[in-house]
Amino acid sequence: MIEKPLTPEDVEFVTTLHGEERISFVVLMQPRSDQADVLLRAIDDVAIGELREAVREGDRPEGDEAREPAEMALEYSLRELREAGSEAVGQVVEDHPLDKLKTVVDASGADEVIVLTAPHYVEEFFHRDWASRARHKVGVPVLKLFAHSE
């Protein structure tokens, strides 16, 4: 599960996690939506010293407006994973992302879930971040990684 396009560093990191073993990915892109509270994102930005980002949180597309950028980010990320030699498919998920994640894990027989995300300190503190919530739902190990900056 990702929330922004994979950087080259992210691609290298996830494709080499298991050494030379060939890996296939099912990527679920979680776009910015009304579920993600603007105030929590702004607090996270302030916590990591990104004051300019905190000010801009209210200007970012959400809901339906976030769908097209999410689709573009997903296509870019899938292309990068494929160019790195991995099989990769994916989809944008807006409604009930953890239910969709569980369905994908069951249908694909996934060995693990990787949640690649920016730090979300408030949500992490209360174990409400995607990785913490997924650990109670999917039935396979969940690895939380912090995405690299663009």
Side-chain angles (χ1 to χ4, degrees), residues 70-92:
E71 289 171 351
M72 291 173 28
L74 176 64
E75 286 306 314
Y76 172 82
S77 298
L78 294 175
R79 185 173 53 252
E80 293 298 306
L81 288 167
R82 290 175 190 139
E83 287 178 8
S86 296
E87 294 177 27
V89 296
Q91 61 186 288
V92 173

Side-chain angles (χ1 to χ4, degrees), residues 1-2 23-29 74 78 81 87-91 93 100-101 103-105 107-110 112-114:
M1 183 175 281
I2 62 174
I23 301 173
S24 62
F25 294 92
V26 178
V27 180
L28 300 180
M29 174 70 189
L74 176 64
L78 294 175
L81 288 167
E87 294 177 27
V89 296
Q91 61 186 288
V93 180
K100 183 62 178 179
L101 181 61
T103 300
V104 168
V105 166
S108 67
E112 70 182 347
V113 168
I114 299 172

Side-chain angles (χ1 to χ4, degrees), residues 1-119:
M1 183 175 281
I2 62 174
E3 59 187 10
K4 66 179 195 166
L6 298 177
T7 65
E9 293 87 359
D10 294 330
V11 171
E12 181 180 357
F13 193 40
V14 298
T15 58
T16 61
L17 277 173
H18 298 286
E20 298 298 317
E21 183 180 339
R22 187 174 168 106
I23 301 173
S24 62
F25 294 92
V26 178
V27 180
L28 300 180
M29 174 70 189
Q30 173 66 39
R32 295 172 69 95
S33 65
D34 297 330
Q35 295 174 0
D37 183 43
V38 173
L39 177 60
L40 290 179
R41 291 193 311 258
I43 291 170
D44 287 337
D45 290 336
V46 170
I48 61 173
E50 296 288 342
L51 299 178
R52 290 184 182 162
E53 292 297 317
V55 172
R56 291 186 222 143
E57 282 298 340
D59 299 335
R60 304 267 167 79
E62 294 188 357
D64 291 339
E65 293 177 7
R67 177 115 185 136
E68 185 176 342
E71 289 171 351
M72 291 173 28
L74 176 64
E75 286 306 314
Y76 172 82
S77 298
L78 294 175
R79 185 173 53 252
E80 293 298 306
L81 288 167
R82 290 175 190 139
E83 287 178 8
S86 296
E87 294 177 27
V89 296
Q91 61 186 288
V92 173
V93 180
E94 294 177 82
D95 296 325
H96 309 291
L98 293 175
D99 292 339
K100 183 62 178 179
L101 181 61
K102 172 71 172 148
T103 300
V104 168
V105 166
D106 291 345
S108 67
D111 295 325
E112 70 182 347
V113 168
I114 299 172
V115 176
L116 191 65
T117 181

